[in-house]
């Protein structure tokens, strides 16, 4: 899967979750790009501009759950998008 494929998947899930008002960039990153070493992704967002950047751990960087099961890119993407879904409530 490429960054373009990931972005396309992100658009699809934004529509399903009714997050089309958000401008979301989704990319793969390296281990150093993920702020929590136990996570497979993270999101940085601004409620003011309704923009966000989702970084998912690149498949070549040990994209695995702690128990060794293979991580699902789509599940991790949706998880990060759900942070945006509840971002308005959190502020």
């Amino acid at each position: 899967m490429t960054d373009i494929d990931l972005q396309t998947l992100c658009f699809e899930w934004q529509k399903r979750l009714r997050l089309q008002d958000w401008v979301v960039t989704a990319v793969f990153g390296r281990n150093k790009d993920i702020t929590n070493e136990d996570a497979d992704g993270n999101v940085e967002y601004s409620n003011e501009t309704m923009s966000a950047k989702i970084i998912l751990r690149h498949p070549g960087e040990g994209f695995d759950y702690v128990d060794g099961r293979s991580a699902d890119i789509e599940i991790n993407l949706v998880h990060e998008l759900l942070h945006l879904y509840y971002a308005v409530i959190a502020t």
Side-chain angles (χ1 to χ4, degrees), residues 12-80:
E12 290 174 20
W13 274 102
Q14 277 184 260
K15 185 175 178 181
R16 289 180 189 179
L17 296 171
R18 298 194 174 147
L19 293 169
Q20 300 99 313
D21 292 346
W22 285 82
V23 176
V24 181
T25 303
V27 296
F28 287 110
R30 300 294 179 190
N31 287 334
K32 64 182 173 65
D33 301 319
I34 308 299
T35 55
N36 180 348
E37 65 184 41
D38 293 330
D40 286 324
N42 65 289
V43 61
E44 296 175 2
Y45 61 87
S46 167
N47 281 339
E48 289 181 15
T49 62
M50 293 190 74
S51 62
K53 182 174 184 180
I54 294 174
I55 302 174
L56 295 183
R57 194 176 309 279
H58 190 277
E61 293 281 318
F63 196 88
D64 291 325
Y65 286 109
V66 175
D67 66 5
R69 290 180 297 135
S70 178
D72 187 317
I73 293 168
E74 190 168 359
I75 289 172
N76 285 295
L77 175 64
V78 172
H79 171 94
E80 299 305 331

